[in-house]
Amino acid sequence: MDFTVSIDGTDQSAPANGGDTVLDALLAANVGFSYSCQAGNCGTCKCELVSGEIFEMEYSEHALLPQERERGVVLACRSQVWSDVVVRRLQAEEFIVHPSRVLRCRVAALDWLTHDIVGLRLEIELGGPYSFSAGQYARIELAGAPDARDYSMANCPNEPLLEFHVRVLPEGQISRRVAALKIGDAVRVSGPLGTSYLRAMHPGPLLAIAGGSGLAPIRAIVESALECGVLHDMHVYFGARAARDVYGQQWFENWRSRGVQVHVVLSEKATGETPFRSGWVSDAVAEDFSDLSGFKVYLAGPPPMVDAAIAVLRARGVHPRDTHADSFYPARATAPMRSPRQASRL
Ligand SMILES: Cc1cc2nc3c(=O)[nH]c(=O)nc-3n(C[C@H](O)[C@H](O)[C@H](O)COP(=O)(O)OP(=O)(O)OC[C@H]3O[C@@H](n4cnc5c(N)ncnc54)[C@H](O)[C@@H]3O)c2cc1C
Ligand code: FES
């Protein structure tokens, strides 16, 4: 290994090869560090560059604001190491690390939840116990498949079967294989991953925004919040294209009966009577709230929906540290590099 990545103010460090990201190096050395999308979209892995030289790969404008960048803040998942590097953690808010596990599971059930979303339930055979926080995801590998993919747990941590909601894409290498699984087939699950999990200690209201199969982690978060006795205002927005894409109505009814405000918003104009709202789910949130300061917000689903919703949240006063997002980006693609950046230049 060429270099060392160290965390300022701790004795934690990790070896790195030139070109490794700060995040990859830390995770490979089992150093606990906040992250979620690993693709420069969510901003969860923000940290301060104290010293050293990095190359920054492309990232979403919502993940790191220009004024933060000017202050020396970088995204660990987008920062390639080109010298010894020292970074500083930004926040210590409810930092939970569960032991990383590789589980051998068997398919216990497979049900179509909509015409293109399949619900997969897995029984853990070997490698448990598996602990995670509601909202986290795992990496799933299928026998004979070329690649692994990330899917969010839809079950609460105390439920025995692991549950995933997988949108089956017409050209999808892995999602199509998930849909073709049979009861008893073997599935490898590694995790848990991600930091977009329920912060049960947050004293303010909770807003959850899901698009499509993004309902998986949101279901886990809302159910767990209700179980933990989180009694603040809770608002759930579920965005789908059309009525045939709506699922989870039994959960919505149950949540409503327990005081949660649930809105289903369809982006395609409905023909005829519909119990659902229409438009973009982010616009529905914007319509309903003029001020969201003090809210804790969880988002999951397609990247354009997450980006549009984050823009609304910023405009309505939600602090970035109260925004926890899982953008369902396709499997990682290599992003182009920016010019080198040195801590001393900041
Ligand atoms: C943190 C995280 C959590 C995730 N959780 C879930 C989850 O709970 N449920 C879920 O269904 N998915 C989830 N995803 C997405 C999932 O990991 C896969 O990317 C997705 O299932 C596509 O994989 P595939 O192998 O079927 O398609 P691929 O073979 O990778 O892609 C096939 C084609 O579809 C395009 N494509 C890929 N993804 C999408 C998309 N979302 N919309 C439109 N076109 C696309 C690709 O660009 C390509 O052209 C998550 C992703 C991340 C990063
Ligand atoms: S921006 Fe780095 S983990 Fe999401």
Side-chain angles (χ1 to χ4, degrees), residues 23 34-45 63 75-78:
L23 182 65
S34 292
Y35 72 98
S36 183
C37 69
Q38 301 183 64
N41 299 303
C42 66
T44 311
C45 65
L75 297 174
C77 73
R78 301 278 85 191

Side-chain angles (χ1 to χ4, degrees), residues 218-294:
I218 296 301
R219 188 238 160 198
I221 285 172
V222 174
E223 292 281 353
S224 299
L226 288 167
E227 241 170 58
C228 298
V230 174
L231 295 173
H232 325 295
D233 257 5
M234 278 204 240
H235 305 261
V236 176
Y237 286 77
F238 174 57
R241 279 157 301 176
R244 68 182 194 140
D245 301 305
V246 176
Y247 72 102
Q249 302 251 45
Q250 71 284 18
W251 303 323
F252 301 158
E253 283 317 310
N254 178 279
W255 298 345
R256 284 186 182 116
S257 73
R258 297 159 83 181
V260 181
Q261 305 286 321
V262 184
H263 305 262
V264 176
V265 188
L266 304 183
S267 58
E268 282 176 14
K269 213 163 179 55
T271 50
E273 283 279 296
T274 167
F276 308 125
R277 294 172 69 169
S278 61
W280 296 112
V281 67
S282 48
D283 290 345
V285 173
E287 259 167 50
D288 293 355
F289 297 93
S290 57
D291 183 6
L292 284 166
S293 46

